[in-house]
Amino acid sequence: MPIDQNASLSVSKRDVVFKGKIWDVVSETFNYNDAQLVRGFVAHPGAVAVIALNDDQEVLLIKQYRHPVREYLWEIPAGLLDMPGESRLEAAKRELLEETGYIATQWQELIEFHTTPGGNDETITVFVAQDLRLQGHDLELEGEEVDLELRWVPLAEALGSVLKSEMRSPSAGYAILALAHQLGVSANV
């Protein structure tokens, strides 16, 4: 079975090329096979995502505008690991509440993945949230989160949308594929 392996290469130089609000672009020099290589990439704090599953095997999706791709994407709640001292699970709970108004009493880590390892060090951990209750919140959402659309979708239907490339958010895709596999759900296509 193929398993990714950690590597501890010595970095001799690191420069911040661009300092951003959420992430930076860095340039690192490192020794690889007796050669000095320089690579630029996005240094990201990491993120969590939540696939909320109700008793009817429906998942809670959100539709959100994503400017870099100029599309409204169907996604799952997600957010940055940007609060000092906050665990990944605490961040997932926070994001589910902020983006949907739901809280859950059952949590399970589902899957973890690198978003774009050739140019970004972001890792996303996906959690499954169950035993859900709509609590609501009085947070003032900003930017693209102001007009989020929520929809409960049967897991089999969401899986079909992922497999037909109708949903292309990597967090939603990974989560839906992993959860469908775990539950033995087939695509509804």
Side-chain angles (χ1 to χ4, degrees):
M1 172 181 293
I3 299 174
D4 295 340
Q5 299 174 321
N6 287 329
S8 298
L9 302 178
S10 177
V11 174
S12 59
K13 184 177 181 187
R14 180 182 172 100
D15 294 313
V16 176
V17 177
F18 170 81
K19 181 80 173 153
K21 178 180 176 183
I22 296 170
W23 45 260
D24 300 332
V25 176
V26 299
S27 175
E28 289 187 348
T29 304
F30 61 100
N31 186 355
Y32 189 80
N33 289 334
D34 296 324
Q36 290 291 305
L37 302 179
V38 179
R39 296 292 182 264
F41 61 92
V42 173
H44 195 283
V48 293
V50 180
I51 186 160
L53 179 69
N54 68 19
D55 293 338
D56 295 324
Q57 282 200 328
E58 295 172 322
V59 293
L60 184 58
L61 300 178
I62 59 175
K63 185 167 81 172
Q64 183 171 3
Y65 178 69
R66 294 299 188 179
H67 188 72
V69 295
R70 310 297 199 275
E71 292 182 16
Y72 286 92
L73 299 181
W74 284 103
E75 303 180 335
I76 58 176
L80 299 171
L81 293 171
D82 59 353
M83 304 289 276
E86 184 178 55
S87 72
R88 293 177 300 159
L89 178 56
E90 290 168 332
K93 290 178 179 182
R94 174 177 50 82
E95 290 297 333
L96 179 63
L97 178 62
E98 286 178 4
E99 294 188 0
T100 70
Y102 279 88
I103 60 172
T105 59
Q106 293 181 35
W107 290 87
Q108 171 196 351
E109 190 171 317
L110 178 65
I111 197 165
E112 186 174 86
F113 66 97
H114 301 302
T115 56
T116 49
N120 188 319
D121 69 356
E122 179 182 23
T123 299
I124 296 180
T125 304
V126 180
F127 291 87
V128 178
Q130 291 180 277
D131 193 19
L132 299 149
R133 181 173 59 86
L134 182 60
Q135 174 178 297
H137 60 70
D138 58 1
L139 301 170
E140 277 197 44
L141 300 177
E142 299 176 340
E144 295 90 339
E145 293 182 341
V146 170
D147 60 352
L148 293 179
E149 180 182 331
L150 303 177
R151 183 180 298 170
W152 286 100
V153 176
L155 179 57
E157 183 180 319
L159 178 60
S161 291
V162 169
L163 294 175
K164 292 189 289 185
S165 298
E166 295 170 342
M167 285 178 55
R168 296 181 292 167
S169 163
S171 299
Y174 259 93
I176 290 165
L177 288 166
L179 186 59
H181 176 73
Q182 184 180 79
L183 298 177
V185 172
S186 298
N188 183 4
V189 290

